[in-house]
Amino acid sequence: MDKDTQRLLVRKALEMRGRAYCPYSHFAVGAALLGKDGTIYTGCNIENGTLTPTVCAERTAFFKAISEGQREFEGIAICGGHEDREPDRICAPCGVCRQVMMEFCHKDFEIILGISEENMVVETLETMLPYGFRLDEQM
Ligand code: THU
């Protein structure tokens, strides 16, 4: 993915933090997922008073995309931090979200950990989930 596209995804992920529903943790996360055809699917974290139904920003974006018929992906930008401040460090995806990526993405899928449009760390699914489990590779 080129640098401009990475910056665009980070910008959208930062914007999506404004939609986060996080009254319990006050930790706002935004994500922007790029489909192979160029469509961008955004997401935010959505918390719940009983805690376990909480869904992360990354999975919100993936489930929106899958339910719209998108099945091929290039990369995702993730930005998170306290809801009252701009991010000052990277926010890495949780293990559950990495496993969802594993279900739908190839090993070179880009995971862009954004602090700002100028400051980001770019990883891949392979580096962030080594030896990950894929059922279709087990049978
Ligand atoms: N969260 C995400 O949305 N994505 C991540 O990558 C890490 C954590 C959310 C879940 C919860 O609403 C809040 O951040 C604190 O864990």
Side-chain angles (χ1 to χ4, degrees):
M1 189 186 310
D2 61 45
K3 203 79 208 151
D4 282 347
T5 308
Q6 290 173 343
R7 281 200 201 95
L8 172 66
L9 290 180
V10 169
R11 180 158 76 244
K12 288 191 173 290
L14 288 168
E15 281 169 16
M16 282 307 289
R17 294 186 66 233
R19 300 249 175 101
Y21 176 74
C22 54
Y24 306 106
S25 72
H26 303 285
F27 191 83
V29 186
L33 172 65
L34 180 64
K36 268 255 159 62
D37 66 358
T39 309
I40 296 172
Y41 302 88
T42 55
C44 62
N45 54 329
I46 304 168
E47 297 186 344
N48 190 280
T50 62
L51 299 179
T52 50
T54 294
V55 67
C56 293
E58 297 91 319
R59 274 176 289 145
T60 303
F62 265 98
F63 296 157
K64 281 169 70 179
I66 299 294
S67 62
E68 293 295 321
Q70 185 70 251
R71 283 288 170 88
E72 293 190 297
F73 301 101
E74 294 282 344
I76 189 168
I78 304 155
C79 299
H82 192 282
E83 62 184 347
D84 293 339
R85 300 187 286 274
E86 293 304 313
D88 60 2
R89 68 197 79 171
I90 60 169
C91 170
C94 78
V96 173
C97 289
R98 293 182 206 203
Q99 190 61 39
V100 168
M101 294 173 196
M102 197 72 189
E103 186 73 24
F104 296 105
C105 304
H106 49 83
K107 64 180 174 46
D108 299 325
F109 176 76
E110 280 186 28
I111 301 176
I112 302 158
L113 309 172
I115 301 170
S116 68
E117 280 182 65
E118 296 75 42
N119 194 0
M120 64 186 82
V121 173
V122 182
E123 288 289 345
T124 65
L125 183 54
E126 188 170 42
T127 59
M128 297 215 64
L129 188 56
Y131 298 100
F133 179 82
R134 264 201 191 98
L135 183 58
D136 61 359
E137 290 176 357
Q138 299 292 320
M139 300 194 294

